[in-house]
C-alpha cells in the first residue's frame, strides 16, 4: 500500500476529478465517490460497489478518507448533544447538535482552540493550537449527520464552535464548497452561517465568494473603548470599520446580517449601550441576537437579570431593530456558546498565541 495516499476528505469535487485524471482514471467517478462519502457515509473505497473491482483496488491504494472519530457524546436535557471528536493527530475538538431551532443545526469548530481571546469565552483561554483542515471541518458534518441519522434530512450549520473561521479562511471556505456540492450534501449557502469577530481583510474577501454563507458579527459593544476590552482584535479592526464592511457586504433582498451581543452584567448592558447600538446599526440591514452570558469558572463576568435583558431588547425594538434573545441550549453539558474547551489541550501561557496578538494590538 502506498504511504502517501491523498486524503480526499480535503478535496472539492473538481479537485478530486483532477486527481483521478492524473492517476489515469475517469473524472466522472468523482461524482460517485462524493455520493458514497457524503450521502451514504461510506469511506471505505472497497465498499463503493458501483465502481469496478479493479478501480476500487487502485483507488484504495491512491486515496484515503480521513474522518474524525467520536470520543464522547453527551446529551443535554433539552436535546442538545455535544460531540468530542478526535482528529488524526490526536487533537480534539467539539461539535454541537442543536435540534429543532426550528431546523436541525450543527455547530462546527474551525480551529483547535482560538487566538482571539475574547474576555468571556472559554475557547479563547486555550489559545490557538492549530487550524482545522477543510476535511476536518466538513468531516464534522459527516460524523454528526451519520451519528444522528440525519444524512437525508435538511440541516443548518453554524460556524460558532471553537475557533475564528475568518482566521482560517481558506480551509473554511473550501469546507463550505465541499458541503454545498450537488453530489454531496448539496447544502444551500442559506443554511450556513459564519460567525466572526470581524477579521476585516477576510470579511472583504468573503464578499466575492461563490458560496456565500449568512454572516453573523460578534459585536458585543457599541464603542471601541468597550469592545476593545472584550474583543482584543478590536484594537486592530475597530467598530466603525466593521460596520462599514457590513454596509458594503453583498446581501440578498431577504438576508440580514446578524449582530451577536453577549450581555455581561454591569459591563455592556446599560440602556445607554442599547441606544448607542441602535444608532450604530441604523443604516445596516441587521438583526440583533442578544446572548446572555453563559457563565463558566474562570470567566470574570455574570449574565444580567431577565429584567435588564428585557429592557435592553425593548430599547432596540423601539428603535426599529429586529431583536431576539438567544435561548441557551445545552448549558448542563457545557455545550452552550463560549463553553467549548477541550481540557488538557490548554497551552502554557507563554505559548498562547492570543496573548501575543494582544501584545501586538496594545
Ligand atoms: N469566533 C467566532 C465564532 C465562535 S463563538 C465569533 O466570535 O463569532 C460563537 C458566539 O458565541 C460568538 O458570538 C461568541 O462571542 C459567543 N460566546 C463566546 N463566549 C460566550 C459565553 N461565555 N457566553 C455566551 N456567548 C459566548
Amino acid at each position: 500500500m502506498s504511504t502517501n495516499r491523498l486524503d480526499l476528505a480535503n478535496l472539492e469535487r473538481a479537485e478530486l476529478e483532477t486527481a483521478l485524471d492524473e492517476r489515469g482514471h475517469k473524472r466522472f467517478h468523482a461524482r460517485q465517490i462524493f455520493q458514497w462519502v457524503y450521502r451514504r457515509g461510506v469511506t471505505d473505497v472497497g465498499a463503493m460497489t458501483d465502481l469496478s473491482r479493479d478501480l476500487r483496488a487502485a483507488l484504495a491504494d491512491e486515496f484515503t478518507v480521513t474522518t474524525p472519530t467520536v470520543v464522547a457524546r453527551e446529551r443535554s436535557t433539552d436535546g442538545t448533544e455535544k460531540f468530542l471528536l478526535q482528529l488524526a493527530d490526536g487533537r480534539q475538538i467539539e461539535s454541537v447538535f442543536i435540534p429543532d431551532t426550528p431546523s436541525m443545526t450543527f455547530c462546527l469548530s474551525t480551529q483547535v482552540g482560538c487566538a482571539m481571546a475574547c474576555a468571556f469565552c472559554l475557547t479563547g483561554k486555550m489559545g490557538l493550537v492549530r487550524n482545522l483542515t477543510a476535511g476536518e471541518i466538513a468531516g464534522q458534518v459527516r460524523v454528526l449527520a451519520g451519528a444522528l441519522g440525519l444524512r437525508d434530512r435538511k440541516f443548518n450549520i453554524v460556524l460558532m464552535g471553537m475557533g475564528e473561521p475568518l482566521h482560517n479562511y481558506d480551509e473554511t471556505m473550501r469546507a463550505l464548497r465541499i458541503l454545498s456540492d450537488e453530489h454531496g450534501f448539496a447544502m444551500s449557502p442559506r443554511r450556513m452561517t459564519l460567525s466572526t469577530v470581524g477579521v476585516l481583510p477576510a470579511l472583504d474577501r468573503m464578499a466575492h465568494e461563490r458560496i456565500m454563507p449568512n454572516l453573523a458579527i460578534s459585536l458585543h459593544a457599541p464603542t471601541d473603548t468597550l469592545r476593545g476590552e472584550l474583543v482584543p482584535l478590536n484594537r486592530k479592526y475597530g467598530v466603525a470599520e466593521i460596520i462599514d464592511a457590513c454596509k458594503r457586504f453583498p446581501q440578498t433582498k431577504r438576508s440580514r446580517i446578524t449582530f451577536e451581543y453577549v450581555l455581561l452584567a454591569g459591563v455592556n448592558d446599560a440602556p445607554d449601550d442599547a441606544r448607542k447600538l441602535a444608532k450604530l446599526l441604523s443604516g445596516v440591514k441587521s438583526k440583533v441576537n442578544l446572548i446572555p452570558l453563559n457563565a463558566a469558572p474562570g470567566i470574570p463576568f455574570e449574565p444580567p437579570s431577565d429584567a435588564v435583558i428585557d429592557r435592553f431588547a425593548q430599547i432596540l425594538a423601539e428603535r426599529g431593530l429586529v431583536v431576539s434573545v438567544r435561548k441557551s441550549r445545552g448549558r448542563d453539558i457545557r455545550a452552550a456558546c463560549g463553553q467549548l474547551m477541550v481540557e488538557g489541550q490548554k497551552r502554557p501561557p507563554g505559548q498562547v498565541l492570543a496573548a501575543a496578538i494582544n501584545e501586538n494590538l496594545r
Side-chain angles (χ1 to χ4, degrees):
M1 202 182 285
S2 154
T3 47
N4 52 354
R5 289 182 296 165
L6 188 58
D7 186 0
L8 64 84
N10 284 319
L11 302 183
E12 294 172 44
R13 186 160 49 88
E15 294 169 325
L16 177 56
E17 286 174 357
T18 305
L20 288 168
D21 192 41
E22 283 168 358
R23 288 160 181 76
H25 310 302
K26 295 269 186 299
R27 304 175 79 93
F28 73 84
H29 293 308
R31 268 183 264 163
Q32 292 163 295
I33 295 171
F34 256 61
Q35 284 166 1
W36 282 109
V37 172
Y38 295 97
R39 292 204 189 156
R40 302 195 218 176
V42 171
T43 53
D44 172 9
V45 177
M48 300 184 179
T49 49
D50 57 358
L51 305 177
S52 75
R53 201 176 289 262
D54 286 352
L55 180 60
R56 277 183 267 160
L59 293 179
D61 209 31
E62 293 157 346
F63 294 95
T64 176
V65 188
T66 305
T67 306
T69 52
V70 179
V71 176
R73 187 172 163 174
E74 262 181 291
R75 194 160 196 271
S76 158
T77 47
D78 66 19
T80 301
E81 284 192 59
K82 184 167 79 169
F83 289 78
L84 178 64
L85 303 181
Q86 182 148 320
L87 308 170
D89 67 350
R91 299 286 186 195
Q92 296 181 338
I93 52 167
E94 291 182 324
S95 314
V96 181
F97 166 59
I98 312 152
D100 312 316
T101 51
S103 307
M104 305 295 173
T105 300
F106 300 147
C107 179
L108 310 181
S109 293
T110 54
Q111 296 179 313
V112 183
C114 185
M116 297 298 125
C118 297
F120 45 80
C121 179
L122 267 188
T123 310
K125 299 248 174 279
M126 292 173 65
L128 179 64
V129 179
R130 72 165 171 87
N131 282 333
L132 295 187
T133 62
E136 289 167 339
I137 299 170
Q140 294 168 65
V141 179
R142 286 195 278 121
V143 171
L144 268 64
L148 296 156
L150 294 173
R151 248 175 233 295
D152 302 322
R153 295 276 298 275
K154 291 237 182 293
F155 47 75
N156 299 333
I157 59 163
V158 294
L159 302 181
M160 296 186 185
M162 299 165 72
E164 166 51 52
L166 294 188
H167 192 215
N168 182 17
Y169 187 88
D170 292 329
E171 295 300 304
T172 297
M173 291 302 152
R174 176 188 290 269
L176 297 187
R177 288 192 293 271
I178 291 173
L179 292 170
S180 71
D181 193 281
E182 57 176 322
H183 295 285
F185 282 117
M187 283 194 73
S188 159
R190 278 177 308 171
R191 290 190 170 273
M192 306 171 171
T193 300
L194 182 149
S195 178
T196 177
V197 289
V199 184
L200 265 203
L203 193 56
D204 281 329
R205 220 178 130 191
M206 198 167 84
H208 305 286
E209 291 288 344
R210 179 172 55 86
I211 300 300
M212 176 102 57
N214 300 311
L215 180 61
I217 301 280
S218 289
L219 194 62
H220 312 317
T223 62
D224 283 329
T225 323
L226 186 52
R227 193 167 189 267
E229 296 289 312
L230 302 175
V231 181
L233 191 72
N234 194 78
R235 292 169 220 162
K236 192 160 179 189
Y237 306 119
V239 171
E241 283 178 281
I242 291 175
I243 298 297
D244 279 349
C246 289
K247 284 181 179 162
R248 56 178 185 261
F249 197 78
Q251 282 185 274
T252 61
K253 271 206 188 96
R254 283 188 306 170
S255 73
R256 291 171 184 277
I257 295 175
T258 301
F259 288 89
E260 295 158 285
Y261 195 106
V262 173
L263 283 165
L264 310 168
V267 176
N268 64 355
D269 62 346
D272 195 43
D273 296 322
R275 286 189 285 267
K276 283 184 182 140
L277 180 63
K279 198 163 168 215
L280 183 68
L281 298 181
S282 61
V284 191
K285 261 182 74 185
S286 66
K287 57 186 173 196
V288 177
N289 192 199
L290 299 174
I291 315 173
L293 174 80
N294 292 305
I299 300 295
F301 301 104
E302 292 298 325
S305 67
D306 286 351
V308 169
I309 296 168
D310 288 349
R311 187 180 51 177
F312 198 95
Q314 182 81 35
I315 293 171
L316 299 177
E318 279 165 4
R319 282 158 178 76
L321 289 175
V322 179
V323 192
S324 59
V325 179
R326 190 178 293 178
K327 215 170 84 184
S328 175
R329 303 284 299 254
R331 215 187 284 175
D332 54 338
I333 55 165
R334 293 223 308 199
C337 298
Q339 296 193 312
L340 304 182
M341 174 164 73
V342 179
E343 296 290 346
Q345 289 194 41
K346 283 177 279 184
R347 296 185 137 196
Q351 285 179 31
V352 174
L353 242 160
I357 289 184
N358 287 345
E359 281 309 317
N360 290 337
L361 298 176
R362 221 158 258 155

